[in-house]
Amino acid sequence: MLVKRIITGLIGMITAVYVINFGDWVFSAAIVILALTAWHEYYRAFSYMGMKLTYFGGMAAVFFTLACAWQGNSDELLAVIMFATLLILSKAVLYHDKFTIQEACISIAGICYVALSFSHLILLRFTGSEVFVHSTLGNVSLGCSFIWLAFIGTWASDTFAFFAGSLFGKTKLCPQISPGKTVEGFIGGVLGTSLSLMGLGMLFNFSLIHMAILGVLIALVATVGDLVESSFKRFTGIKDSGQILPGHGGVLDRFDSIMFTVPFVYYYVQIFKIF
């Protein structure tokens, strides 16, 4: 099991470096595939409870939402979410004997959860795509550097929280949802993420104050994202969202924190103009 996790992790890291740095259609296509897989996992999780969500309607809504993000069309993106919501609620009225209002609401929640979060990966990657950041490792686009802030910050949060919790963890953080998480682990994650972001800040010549603050906030948001996905799994009674990543579970298992941190980083850099 450990060997599988290590091999999958190495392959994933190499793939991430190529896809993120290459950008353009390769990055967008990869995010679309991940998002559609995440929706499939979400649908399947609730199907174990006997719920029949709007599978193909959800697939279409997720795809077109990400396509709008790819084209930078925020109005069209909002329109897709709006009409998907209206159509699904209408289905609950027209076919109320086969499709309940509860299933409609859970379908809409899943579409928003998956489509909007993954859309922000595309939006963040193509932020300031014409601007390049000069670093000690060469020149990268501004959006590329922002994606690395979100990804490395999230990974740092998970890693430092795990080791700090293993060494010092005593006080449970949220035992009803995730018994393994501790307050001490969370504090370790916050400190480790801030230091990691400050290191990246020096590499990309970003404000260290902003990096320290962003590190604290990423650790907080990443923890919430992880707990949200744990809540889904506890509610539906599944152990992993999928098996597509050997030793790591499914897309939702691996991207649960990223789905929260990336939108947060996107709006942080837009509001505070750290570039």
Side-chain angles (χ1 to χ4, degrees), residues 168-261:
F168 310 108
K170 292 182 180 179
T171 309
K172 299 296 182 182
L173 180 65
C174 194
Q176 297 86 354
I177 297 176
S178 184
K181 291 190 179 300
T182 63
V183 174
E184 294 80 5
F186 171 71
I187 294 172
V190 169
L191 296 175
T193 307
S194 291
L195 291 174
S196 299
L197 265 290
M198 290 175 71
L200 280 176
M202 289 188 285
L203 180 67
F204 293 131
N205 296 311
F206 291 147
S207 164
L208 296 187
I209 295 177
H210 275 301
M211 291 300 98
I213 295 172
L214 192 56
V216 172
L217 297 176
I218 284 177
L220 175 61
V221 175
T223 303
V224 173
D226 186 30
L227 290 171
V228 166
E229 207 254 342
S230 294
S231 297
F232 278 131
K233 291 194 291 187
R234 185 171 288 272
F235 181 75
T236 56
I238 62 173
K239 183 177 183 295
D240 294 314
S241 65
Q243 299 298 327
I244 193 172
L245 302 171
H248 289 264
V251 172
L252 288 176
D253 292 318
R254 289 299 88 200
F255 284 79
D256 53 359
S257 296
I258 289 288
M259 291 167 72
F260 272 63
T261 58

Side-chain angles (χ1 to χ4, degrees), residues 61-84:
V62 170
F63 176 82
F64 285 112
T65 301
L66 268 70
C68 291
W70 190 349
Q71 295 298 314
N73 299 328
S74 58
D75 289 340
E76 287 83 351
L77 184 154
L78 184 60
V80 171
I81 295 294
M82 183 71 257
F83 281 107

Side-chain angles (χ1 to χ4, degrees), residues 28-247:
S28 297
I31 297 304
V32 169
I33 292 171
L34 288 171
L36 293 176
T37 304
W39 167 253
H40 173 76
E41 292 175 355
Y42 181 90
Y43 171 88
R44 190 176 63 173
F46 283 94
S47 70
Y48 290 134
M49 301 180 65
M51 292 188 178
K52 298 178 181 179
L53 307 187
T54 309
Y55 183 74
F56 292 107
M59 279 284 188
V62 170
F63 176 82
F64 285 112
T65 301
L66 268 70
C68 291
W70 190 349
Q71 295 298 314
N73 299 328
S74 58
D75 289 340
E76 287 83 351
L77 184 154
L78 184 60
V80 171
I81 295 294
M82 183 71 257
F83 281 107
T85 300
L86 294 179
L87 288 172
I88 291 171
L89 290 174
S90 298
K91 180 182 176 181
V93 173
L94 296 173
Y95 301 96
H96 57 85
D97 55 333
K98 297 179 181 179
F99 185 66
T100 67
I101 193 68
Q102 183 184 36
E103 290 169 330
C105 291
I106 293 175
S107 295
I108 293 167
I111 290 170
C112 293
Y113 175 53
V114 173
L116 294 179
S117 57
F118 278 94
S119 290
H120 280 80
L121 275 158
I122 295 176
L123 293 173
L124 184 62
R125 177 60 183 81
F126 295 109
T127 297
S129 56
E130 71 284 354
V131 179
F132 284 83
V133 175
H134 304 289
S135 72
T136 55
L137 297 179
N139 298 335
V140 296
S141 70
L142 193 62
C144 182
S145 66
F146 289 157
I147 283 288
W148 282 120
L149 289 180
F151 270 62
I152 292 179
T154 304
W155 293 335
S157 173
D158 291 342
T159 302
F160 282 99
F162 173 78
F163 284 109
S166 299
L167 293 172
F168 310 108
K170 292 182 180 179
T171 309
K172 299 296 182 182
L173 180 65
C174 194
Q176 297 86 354
I177 297 176
S178 184
K181 291 190 179 300
T182 63
V183 174
E184 294 80 5
F186 171 71
I187 294 172
V190 169
L191 296 175
T193 307
S194 291
L195 291 174
S196 299
L197 265 290
M198 290 175 71
L200 280 176
M202 289 188 285
L203 180 67
F204 293 131
N205 296 311
F206 291 147
S207 164
L208 296 187
I209 295 177
H210 275 301
M211 291 300 98
I213 295 172
L214 192 56
V216 172
L217 297 176
I218 284 177
L220 175 61
V221 175
T223 303
V224 173
D226 186 30
L227 290 171
V228 166
E229 207 254 342
S230 294
S231 297
F232 278 131
K233 291 194 291 187
R234 185 171 288 272
F235 181 75
T236 56
I238 62 173
K239 183 177 183 295
D240 294 314
S241 65
Q243 299 298 327
I244 193 172
L245 302 171

